[in-house]
Amino acid sequence: SDMVTAIDFDYPFGTMISAALDDTVRVWDLNVGRCVGFLEGHNASVRCLQIEDNIVATGSMDASVKLWDLSRARTTTRDNRVTRREDDEESAQADDASMASHSTTLEDCYVYSLDAHVDEVTALHFKGDTLISGSADKTLRQWDLVKGRCVQTLDVLWAAAQASTLGSET
């Protein structure tokens, strides 16, 4: 219901992930053209995300990175969010579609949270078992996804100061 902040899709599997300022992260099945559920767990809007081989990384204004494994997802319906009108077949079908997109959460796919940043996470890139996250705290962090921990931190301001110092010495 608000502006989309991030989007990525998994080609050729037909899965798309979107995040918006309404604090939702939606999982879409592009083969049928509808939202199949939500990834819930951040305490603020998700600003960046990436999907690769059923693994989703989401970075949020709450300073955390969360990992999700869609292959483990189990769909559950939230109770009584949308009620179906019995009198009109078309509106019943529309309500069913609305209920699927507004009241379905994907459970059991949350893996863990990476919580070393102290300001909003603004960029993510991962390949295999390594994730790089960038944050408004002016750091880049390299994560080992097998161990679930930060293995290297680069302070961008320190690195820029070192580069300018080295450049002035030559």
Side-chain angles (χ1 to χ4, degrees):
S1 64
D2 207 337
M3 184 173 29
V4 173
T5 57
I7 190 168
D8 195 15
F9 62 95
D10 197 8
Y11 178 83
F13 303 111
T15 301
M16 183 175 73
I17 311 294
S18 67
L21 288 179
D22 61 6
D23 294 347
T24 61
V25 179
R26 296 175 186 258
V27 179
W28 302 84
D29 182 341
L30 298 179
N31 296 309
V32 295
R34 69 180 182 89
C35 176
V36 295
F38 295 84
L39 299 177
E40 297 177 317
H42 282 289
N43 296 320
S45 295
V46 169
R47 302 300 243 170
C48 53
L49 56 87
Q50 185 180 352
I51 181 172
E52 185 177 303
D53 298 329
N54 280 323
I55 304 297
V56 178
T58 54
S60 172
M61 292 179 73
D62 65 12
S64 72
V65 175
K66 296 198 183 301
L67 285 173
W68 316 84
D69 184 350
L70 296 181
S71 67
R72 299 178 358 188
R74 181 174 55 85
T75 303
T76 59
T77 304
R78 300 179 197 162
D79 25 351
N80 298 330
R81 283 280 181 120
V82 177
T83 56
R84 194 173 122 178
R85 294 195 317 239
E86 301 289 334
D87 57 355
D88 183 41
E89 185 67 28
E90 279 186 38
S91 68
Q93 289 174 347
D95 283 350
D96 283 346
S98 177
M99 188 182 319
S101 67
H102 292 292
S103 64
T104 305
T105 187
L106 299 174
E107 293 189 353
D108 298 335
C109 62
Y110 173 74
V111 180
Y112 52 74
S113 185
L114 306 170
D115 297 315
H117 285 293
V118 295
D119 204 346
E120 114 178 53
V121 178
T122 57
L124 293 172
H125 180 75
F126 76 91
K127 196 158 203 94
D129 294 334
T130 300
L131 173 79
I132 306 296
S133 61
S135 171
D137 65 11
K138 297 175 183 65
T139 64
L140 296 172
R141 294 186 180 269
Q142 179 180 347
W143 303 89
D144 179 328
L145 298 181
V146 173
K147 296 177 181 172
R149 63 184 184 93
C150 181
V151 294
Q152 187 171 12
T153 302
L154 174 64
D155 181 316
V156 176
L157 293 179
W158 178 85
Q162 297 305 308
S164 65
T165 301
L166 290 175
S168 64
E169 290 177 2
T170 56

